[in-house]
């Protein structure tokens, strides 16, 4: 069996530690040099003689990874970053007139694959220091759609425009007003038209450094689309957007694909992924070690395969259990013990006014919170958490709360110190399922966005309180992590009989974990009206009606799916007033 060894020499302390690891290797001990300490002091591992015993990994888990490759990948990778570095084995297929979705966890080569398609990175077919010619690439993909694509790349007929993943980095690299920045890339001379479609006309004269995350996301999408290209790639186009904006952006991206233009999308919100893509690839592999791409399938099939955790054609199991959604039982009012209640709460913040009609949260309930950006969700959560004082109304304030804010602050404390309580008390319920152990010795400011989010969720759940308030816990998480975090929150509340209020924009995430829903109505930045909690069906119906979209449940996985606007099902469900098929 072929295996991949990845070594991060920066994470090994000194020569003594390297020699110690070398001395542990059974292959070295038997006289064959498998682990070598090179003249420059770096460790290398010979993958052809390594027997995969894992002893060196145990000795330096942060620095060394050894992974057995599935049989199907017993071949040369398309690209290897260097000796004992990440390897990519396959590429996704762009198709004209189609939106191709790419589904998969972070760290398995999505950006590398896109860079190769874009011609930014020339693959080396595992010959380090070399760059493959277009003839070699075309030959490698003979008989596939990728061959046709690279023939066009070779002829100079493909121009790619790319919307990067981390839009929050844009203000660090760019200066000036949004309009001026977009004008610079407006090769199509369509700035006003595109700005209107993406609803960013009102912020065109604002400074790029002063706009919100959701506005920045739409400015980045506009910049990508204003360039003249014929392959448009969007890496996570809906982060920071509320559901209304997610649907709007999805429609906009879908409309780009035509016989002259191909579109590719990486997206972690599964309902949006389903809505936006015609066909999809699953990317699988091992984080920071290797990645490969499954065959192209209709999106629905790809999602169901992904949820099942098993790629049949490749014979690869990437999750122990399949993810199963539940048909919702109609909500029945039970006599439950009330934990917190409010009546006619009012709060004025500058020009914004928040009003909360009467409502209550019972013990043991998980309440999902839905609403547009800028409509007071975080303000309400902060009032419940006692971080902001209300101006009017009643609220029983004797409830102990633990609050995970929307924006996470990182400092140089070690993860294991910050999470002392949950590590001691809830290793099996929180720390292990969230896979936080490998982060113990890292400082908070060394973590990626997704890692920091998991730590913040663990910190919030680790406190002994009555009510857990989690503001946007799905942000920065990949699709797999979202499934895990929603399960951890739900199982924890069930186990402890505690209550949670979860604000999020990922409908699937909320559908999976919530018993009830609160809906925020009103006009962003002006007025927010808090309604509910309602039963799932009533709350979802109210929310989806405003968005004018209907959801059905997939027959196989029971996952909620957005109906095509104007389709038979969409019309039928609207006639019955059943926007949400619970
Ligand atoms: Fe040696 Fe490979 Fe075992 Fe590491 S996993 S100790 S390199 S045989």
């Amino acid at each position: 069996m072929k295996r991949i060894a990845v070594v991060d020499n920066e994470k090994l302390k000194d020569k003594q530690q390297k020699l110690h690891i070398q001395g542990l290797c059974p292959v070295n001990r038997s006289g064959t040099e498998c682990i070598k300490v090179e003249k420059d002091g770096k460790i290398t591992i010979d993958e052809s003689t390594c027997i995969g015993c894992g002893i060196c990994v145990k000795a330096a888990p942060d620095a060394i990874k050894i992974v057995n490759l599935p049989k199907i990948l017993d071949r040369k990778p398309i690209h290897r970053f260097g000796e004992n570095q990440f390897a990519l084995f396959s590429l996704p297929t762009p198709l004209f007139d189609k939106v191709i979705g790419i589904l998969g966890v972070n760290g398995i080569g999505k950006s590398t694959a896109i860079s190769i398609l874009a011609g930014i990175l020339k693959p080396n077919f595992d010959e380090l220091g070399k760059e493959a010619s277009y003839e070699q690439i075309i030959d490698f993909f003979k008989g596939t759609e990728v061959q046709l694509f690279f023939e066009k790349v070779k002829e100079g007929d493909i121009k790619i425009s790319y919307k990067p993943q981390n839009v929050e980095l844009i203000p660090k690299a760019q200066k000036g007003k949004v309009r001026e920045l977009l004008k610079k890339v407006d090769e199509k001379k369509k700035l006003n038209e595109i700005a209107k479609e993406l609803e960013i006309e009102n912020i065109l004269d604002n400074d790029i450094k002063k706009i919100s995350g959701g506005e920045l996301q739409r400015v980045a999408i506009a910049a990508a689309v204003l360039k003249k290209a014929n392959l448009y790639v969007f890496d996570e186009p809906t982060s920071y957007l509320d559901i209304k904006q997610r649907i709007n952006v999805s429609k906009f991206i879908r409309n780009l694909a035509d016989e002259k233009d191909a579109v590719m999308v990486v997206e972690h919100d599964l309902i949006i992924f389903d809505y936006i893509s015609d066909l999809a690839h699953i990317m699988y592999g091992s984080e920071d070690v290797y990645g490969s791409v499954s065959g192209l399938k209709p999106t629905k099939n790809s999602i169901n395969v992904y949820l099942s955790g098993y790629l049949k054609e490749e014979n690869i199991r990437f999750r122990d259990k399949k993810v199963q959604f539940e048909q919702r039982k109609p909500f029945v009012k039970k006599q439950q013990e009330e934990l917190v209640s409010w009546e006619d709460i009012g709060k004025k913040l500058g020009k914004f006014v928040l009003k909360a009609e009467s409502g209550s949260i019972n013990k043991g309930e998980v309440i999902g919170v839905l609403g547009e950006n800028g409509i007071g969700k975080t303000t309400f959560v902060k009032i419940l958490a006692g971080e902001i004082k209300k101006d009017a109304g009643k609220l029983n304030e004797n409830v102990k709360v633990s609050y995970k804010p929307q924006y996470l602050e990182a400092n140089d404390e070690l993860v294991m110190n910050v999470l002392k309580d949950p590590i001691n008390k809830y290793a099996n319920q929180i720390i292990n399922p969230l896979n936080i152990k490998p982060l113990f010795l890292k400082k908070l400011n060394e973590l990626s966005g997704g890692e920091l989010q998991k730590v913040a969720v663990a910190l919030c759940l680790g406190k002994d309180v009555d009510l857990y308030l989690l503001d946007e816990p799905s942000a920065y998480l990949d699709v797999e992590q979202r499934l895990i975090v929603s399960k951890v929150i739900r199982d924890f509340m069930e186990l402890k009989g505690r209550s949670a209020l979860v604000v999020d924009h990922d409908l699937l995430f909320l559908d999976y974990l919530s018993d009830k829903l609160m809906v925020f109505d009103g006009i962003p930045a002006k007025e927010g009206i808090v309604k509910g909690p309602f039963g799932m069906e009533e709350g979802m119906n109210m929310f989806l009606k405003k968005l004018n979209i209907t959801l059905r449940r997939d027959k196989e996985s029971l996952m909620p799916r957005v109906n095509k606007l104007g389709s038979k099902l969409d019309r039928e469900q609207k006639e019955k007033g059943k926007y949400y098929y619970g």
Side-chain angles (χ1 to χ4, degrees), residues 25-27 34-35 45 50-56 66:
C25 176
V27 181
C34 176
I35 298 183
I45 296 178
C50 167
I51 54 168
C53 69
I55 291 173
C56 60
I66 310 271

Side-chain angles (χ1 to χ4, degrees), residues 184-433:
K184 280 191 214 159
V185 291
D186 186 12
E187 295 167 1
K188 292 181 182 164
K189 302 289 168 231
K190 279 185 166 181
L191 198 158
N192 290 337
E193 192 184 312
I194 302 282
K196 195 171 174 209
E197 281 192 64
L198 290 170
E199 298 176 350
I200 49 169
E201 302 147 289
N202 296 339
I203 54 129
L204 287 177
D205 293 314
N206 294 6
D207 192 304
I208 190 84
K209 296 196 193 313
K210 301 229 166 91
I211 62 176
S212 71
E215 289 161 347
L216 206 49
Q217 182 67 268
R218 285 172 288 154
V219 168
I221 293 170
V225 172
L226 288 170
K227 287 181 200 145
K228 277 189 186 161
N230 47 6
L231 171 58
Y232 293 91
V233 181
F234 299 91
D235 201 347
E236 298 189 29
T238 69
S239 323
Y240 300 109
L241 301 185
D242 64 35
I243 299 169
K244 191 173 164 198
Q245 292 160 345
R246 286 180 190 203
I247 298 281
N248 189 32
V249 158
S250 305
K251 281 185 196 157
F252 175 79
I253 290 176
R254 281 200 61 77
N255 284 338
L256 289 176
D258 58 26
E259 64 275 9
K260 285 193 253 99
D261 295 318
V263 176
M264 270 194 168
V265 178
V266 175
E267 175 59 47
H268 295 305
D269 178 330
L270 267 185
I271 290 186
I272 293 298
F273 182 88
D274 180 35
Y275 186 64
I276 209 168
S277 338
D278 296 303
L279 298 162
H281 287 290
I282 293 172
M283 276 200 84
Y284 61 94
S286 176
E287 203 182 325
D288 299 331
V289 179
Y290 82 93
S292 192
V293 183
S294 75
L296 206 50
K297 293 183 183 66
T299 305
K300 177 189 156 185
N301 299 12
S302 292
I303 291 179
N304 285 345
V305 165
Y306 189 79
L307 294 173
S308 78
Y310 178 60
L311 283 165
K312 200 171 164 200
E313 283 118 56
E314 288 83 2
N315 189 21
I316 289 166
R317 177 157 293 288
F318 54 89
R319 194 184 317 107
D320 297 341
K321 283 187 197 141
K322 72 176 184 180
V323 176
Q324 187 71 40
F325 295 88
E326 285 170 21
Q327 193 91 32
R328 291 272 171 193
K329 294 179 198 90
F331 181 72
V332 195
K333 266 196 182 155
K334 286 184 275 180
Q335 209 50 43
Q336 277 174 311
E337 205 183 326
E338 197 176 270
L339 174 72
V340 60
S341 64
W342 57 90
E343 221 179 297
D344 297 325
I345 288 183
K347 177 75 199 170
K348 204 164 182 287
L349 281 171
K351 285 181 187 161
F352 179 76
V353 180
L354 179 79
K355 290 177 197 151
E357 300 167 353
S358 65
S360 62
I361 299 171
N362 294 326
K363 282 191 180 168
E365 278 178 352
V366 179
I367 314 277
V369 180
L370 282 170
E372 291 179 50
N373 279 336
I375 206 143
K377 299 186 299 300
T378 303
T379 306
F380 182 69
V381 164
K382 283 186 175 172
I383 290 174
L384 288 189
E387 286 204 4
I388 301 182
K389 286 268 165 263
K390 60 183 170 31
D391 298 335
K394 280 193 217 154
L395 170 73
N396 58 334
E397 281 157 350
N398 301 327
V399 175
K400 273 201 279 174
V401 299
S402 171
Y403 172 51
K404 185 206 82 67
Q406 181 182 9
Y407 296 104
L408 311 170
E409 283 194 23
N411 52 33
D412 60 3
E413 271 192 84
L414 283 183
V415 170
M416 62 187 295
N417 292 341
V418 175
L419 295 183
K420 221 185 257 163
D421 280 353
I423 291 170
N424 289 335
K425 287 197 247 164
Y426 303 118
N428 290 333
Q429 294 78 14
I430 301 174
I431 302 297
N432 297 341

Side-chain angles (χ1 to χ4, degrees), residues 69-179:
L69 285 175
K71 213 163 175 245
I72 194 165
L73 298 183
D74 197 359
R75 55 178 156 86
K76 262 190 191 184
I78 285 178
H79 190 72
R80 190 116 199 222
F81 279 98
E83 192 174 11
N84 296 141
Q85 301 284 310
F86 183 85
L88 181 71
F89 283 87
S90 186
L91 290 179
T93 316
L95 290 178
F96 291 101
D97 203 19
K98 293 274 181 277
V99 178
I100 305 294
I102 303 173
L103 194 58
V105 298
N106 285 333
I108 51 168
K110 292 192 291 277
S111 304
T112 309
I114 287 165
S115 304
I116 294 175
L117 287 175
I120 299 165
L121 177 71
K122 279 275 180 69
N124 58 18
F125 296 111
D126 207 16
E127 291 190 38
L128 303 181
K130 288 196 177 166
E131 280 188 356
S133 65
Y134 277 121
E135 284 71 23
Q136 281 173 290
I137 302 173
I138 289 164
D139 192 51
F140 186 88
F141 288 107
K142 220 176 201 163
T144 67
E145 291 281 347
V146 184
Q147 177 200 348
L148 302 178
F149 176 81
F150 274 107
E151 277 170 359
K152 289 203 172 85
V153 175
K154 186 185 164 204
E155 295 307 318
D157 293 340
I158 296 285
K159 203 174 159 223
I160 299 193
S161 182
Y162 176 57
K163 196 293 291 175
Q165 180 184 14
N166 299 321
V167 292
E168 60 276 10
L169 300 180
I170 297 172
K172 290 184 182 143
Q174 303 284 347
K175 262 201 269 177
K177 292 201 166 140
V178 172
R179 188 189 301 277

Side-chain angles (χ1 to χ4, degrees), residues 12 17 19 24 61 87 126 142 164 190 211 214 230 242 340 371 405 407 428 436-437 451 479 512 534 540 547 565:
L12 291 168
Q17 190 195 11
L19 289 170
L24 294 173
D126 207 16
K142 220 176 201 163
K190 279 185 166 181
I211 62 176
N230 47 6
D242 64 35
V340 60
Y407 296 104
N428 290 333
I436 291 179
K437 230 178 188 173
E451 290 168 342
V479 60
Y512 186 75
F534 305 104
M540 276 284 196
L547 291 178
L565 194 68

